[in-house]
Amino acid sequence: MAAPRPAGRCRYYVERKKRGCRMMAAAGRLFCGEHAGAAGAQEEDARKRIPCPLDPKHTVYEDQLEKHLKKCNSREKPKPVFFIQDINAGLTDVTETPEEQVPISSLCKEELESLIRKLRKASEGVNLRLKDQTLSHPVLQEALNDPKNGDSAAKHLKQQASILGNIEKLKLLGPRRCFVEFGAGRGKLSHWVDTALEGAENVHFYLVERVATRFKVDGKHRKRNSMFERLQIDIQHLCLGKIPMLVEKKLPLIGIGKHLCGVATDLALRCLVETYVAQCEKRSEEPSVKRIKSEKEEAKETNTREEDGKEENVPEAWPPVAGIVIALCCHHRCDWTHYVGKEFFRALALGPVEFGYFQRLSSWATCGMRETAAETSKTEPRGQGCQSADNEEHQPGACRHADDKPDSLHGLLSAEERKNIGRLCKRLIDQGRVLYLQQKGYDAELQYYTDPSVSLENVLLTAVPCRSSSTEPFV
């Protein structure tokens, strides 16, 4: 079954790799723990190995199952204090639960034409000419001019520089505040914000990501005065009001993100301006227990207030959420259930059915479809997911759908017309987000923050508290 192996090595032959297993076997045994119960492996005792019920990719001795389940890495971890199930999911109306829709390619000519007419009519009042706010920041100039940069690195840096420039333009850079990066990935955007704020006091960063991701920049953050903490959690369940530091210090939050994918944008907006703000308002209404202060404590507080008043860029009143700067992407991954702009769609006599179609049609803006069916047949369709951390620039072809076949569109639309329809769908979905923020008391805008040659997903959503709101503006 297996060729002679060095002493102590597992004797099992891995057929797939055409070689013996390189794992070490326990003293006195022929096979490693993983292959002791495999087909063809004759272990010297009668102990049976079974797949782990938590993760069948590995096995465990049957008589040690109970002990293994207590320490298995696949076991459910205790929920953090800031986890509240579906807190940012929004209200679900069972009467509006979207049903499974037929593919766009299955629509007849009349149905497709009717859908496009609805889209064009709904888009009549939407601002389709966005301002160009392609900016930069001096803190990235050295990195941008590095001759060792490849194309991918240069594109990432240009986007990060422009986002940072827009954050500065909104006067959101300064001491005594907390930045929450949603969909943080490597955390490079927070890294550059931290670099731009070098020397600023009392600056905190929370990097929100569903997966356990850490990169070399995380090690650099520990050496600086800024406090960095990763929150491994889905945004849908994130309750910022339960984070002890935010409760104690009451720092204003600034939500940032680079290519925050589809539904994650809606969850992040609700997490900031709905859930967190409501919790802050509730705490402010609760009566505090007063205690008599000593003369020394009163004198210390007076001195502290006087010193704080001398600092620049520190407002008299902190708004709970001081600003939002998010680069949008992947509208085809949006979800009506969690979408924040439902009221906007309903006002246009649109609902979950139309949203489902517009959401999928939005991929036409960035899918890079070919001019002819012959060219399409030469290209393998790719998946619909977001790009990886190494390649998230949404190159042509990155979001191809099965519905994108030109021959399935009844010859109605050229490639350029399909791209325009995709852009209309994106702007319509984004307009619902803008109006949602405006109703919550924010001055929200959409703008281009980089050139399409750098990223096809080149729209930035920004929001700051309105001057007319009850909260003092953050300036």
Side-chain angles (χ1 to χ4, degrees):
M1 184 190 68
R5 304 284 294 147
R9 297 280 185 181
C10 174
R11 298 298 181 88
Y12 187 79
Y13 184 77
V14 185
E15 184 65 32
R16 180 175 60 85
K17 298 182 178 179
K18 304 299 181 184
R19 62 168 175 79
C21 173
R22 294 173 180 171
M23 297 290 288
M24 298 297 294
R29 299 185 181 275
L30 298 177
F31 301 95
C32 68
E34 191 62 33
H35 295 127
Q42 301 297 322
E43 188 57 277
E44 54 271 31
D45 58 29
R47 299 177 73 191
K48 181 182 179 182
R49 292 189 72 88
I50 61 174
C52 173
L54 299 178
D55 182 5
K57 292 182 180 179
H58 65 275
T59 61
V60 60
Y61 282 115
E62 189 175 26
D63 57 0
Q64 290 186 342
L65 177 60
E66 186 176 349
K67 180 181 178 181
H68 171 79
L69 293 178
K70 294 179 181 179
K71 61 180 181 179
C72 179
N73 289 333
S74 298
R75 71 189 187 280
E76 186 176 359
K77 307 295 191 301
K79 301 297 183 186
V81 66
F82 46 80
F83 178 97
I84 297 182
Q85 185 74 34
D86 295 329
I87 189 171
N88 301 314
L91 297 176
T92 302
D93 188 344
V94 292
T95 62
E96 287 196 338
T97 302
E99 299 178 358
E100 186 176 351
Q101 295 178 319
V102 299
I104 294 173
S105 57
S106 299
L107 296 176
C108 67
K109 181 178 179 180
E110 291 73 19
E111 290 173 326
L112 184 60
E113 289 177 335
S114 174
L115 189 63
I116 294 173
R117 282 197 299 270
K118 281 186 178 181
L119 173 64
R120 296 190 189 281
K121 183 178 180 181
S123 303
E124 288 176 356
V126 176
N127 180 20
L128 302 175
R129 297 193 176 187
L130 307 183
K131 292 187 297 183
D132 185 357
Q133 291 289 345
T134 303
L135 305 176
S136 189
H137 195 280
V139 77
L140 282 97
Q141 288 310 305
E142 183 178 350
L144 285 167
N145 296 327
D146 189 344
K148 296 180 182 179
N149 288 335
D151 290 341
S152 178
K155 289 180 178 181
H156 281 287
L157 288 168
K158 288 178 181 178
Q159 293 174 76
Q160 290 156 356
S162 184
I163 294 173
L164 187 56
N166 277 277
I167 294 174
E168 184 179 51
K169 182 175 180 292
L170 295 171
K171 301 181 180 179
L172 297 175
L173 291 179
R176 293 197 174 98
R177 59 206 69 190
C178 177
F179 292 86
V180 181
E181 183 178 358
F182 295 95
R186 297 189 176 194
K188 285 291 188 71
L189 182 56
S190 291
H191 167 73
W192 289 116
V193 173
D194 180 41
T195 305
L197 290 172
E198 186 173 7
E201 295 181 355
N202 209 2
V203 179
H204 296 254
F205 292 86
Y206 285 103
L207 279 59
V208 182
E209 183 60 70
R210 286 191 298 181
V211 296
T213 308
R214 276 182 171 79
F215 294 94
K216 61 183 180 181
V217 292
D218 289 29
K220 298 178 181 179
H221 299 154
R222 298 189 189 100
K223 300 177 183 179
R224 302 173 68 90
N225 294 328
S226 302
M227 193 281 284
F228 274 78
E229 184 176 345
R230 282 189 175 269
L231 307 180
Q232 185 184 346
I233 187 173
D234 192 309
I235 304 172
Q236 183 170 333
H237 315 302
L238 173 60
C239 179
L240 293 171
K242 292 289 185 179
I243 298 177
M245 188 280 295
L246 295 178
V247 175
E248 295 169 5
K249 297 197 174 184
K250 299 180 181 178
L251 296 176
L253 295 187
I254 299 165
I256 60 176
K258 176 175 174 285
H259 285 170
L260 191 56
C261 183
V263 66
T265 296
D266 299 299
L267 296 173
L269 295 179
R270 189 176 284 111
C271 175
L272 289 168
V273 306
E274 194 167 323
T275 306
Y276 181 68
V277 170
Q279 290 170 334
C280 291
E281 291 174 350
K282 183 178 179 181
R283 282 200 302 267
S284 64
E285 293 173 359
E286 294 175 354
S288 58
V289 179
K290 296 184 179 180
R291 69 177 181 87
I292 300 174
K293 300 177 182 178
S294 64
E295 293 182 1
K296 288 184 178 180
E297 288 176 322
E298 289 183 351
K300 185 178 180 180
E301 282 192 3
T302 302
N303 292 335
T304 303
R305 284 194 296 268
E306 289 176 355
E307 291 176 2
D308 289 349
K310 294 176 183 178
E311 294 189 26
E312 294 182 358
N313 206 22
V314 179
E316 295 179 1
W318 293 114
V321 177
I324 298 170
V325 181
I326 294 175
L328 306 170
C329 92
C330 293
H331 295 71
H332 65 279
R333 295 179 68 110
C334 290
D335 189 321
W336 173 261
T337 303
H338 307 301
Y339 180 53
V340 297
K342 291 180 183 178
E343 188 176 331
F344 167 67
F345 262 65
R346 293 190 190 105
L348 296 172
L350 303 174
V353 174
E354 291 80 9
F355 181 87
Y357 283 123
F358 296 162
Q359 159 217 335
R360 286 181 288 165
L361 289 172
S362 69
S363 67
W364 287 4
T366 57
C367 69
M369 291 181 296
R370 305 295 186 182
E371 294 289 344
T372 64
E375 288 179 316
T376 301
S377 64
K378 297 177 184 178
T379 306
E380 289 291 331
R382 302 186 186 180
Q384 300 177 18
C386 283
Q387 304 304 296
S388 67
D390 293 325
N391 182 24
E392 62 178 16
E393 303 309 332
H394 301 270
Q395 299 295 340
C399 299
R400 189 180 301 279
H401 284 224
D403 293 339
D404 291 338
K405 298 177 183 178
D407 57 356
S408 69
L409 301 178
H410 312 288
L412 289 177
L413 306 166
S414 66
E416 189 61 33
E417 288 173 327
R418 292 194 293 272
K419 290 178 184 178
N420 289 334
I421 287 175
R423 294 189 192 105
L424 281 180
C425 292
K426 283 178 175 287
R427 297 294 78 78
L428 193 66
I429 292 172
D430 289 339
Q431 185 65 21
R433 292 164 169 169
V434 169
L435 293 180
Y436 168 80
L437 289 170
Q438 290 174 349
Q439 290 172 354
K440 296 295 180 181
Y442 287 81
D443 183 9
E445 287 185 308
L446 297 168
Q447 53 260 315
Y448 294 120
Y449 77 100
T450 193
D451 191 81
S453 62
V454 175
S455 175
L456 294 176
E457 297 282 15
N458 62 338
V459 175
L460 190 70
L461 172 64
T462 63
V464 292
C466 294
R467 292 184 179 275
S468 58
S469 63
S470 57
T471 306
E472 288 290 326
F474 188 82
V475 295

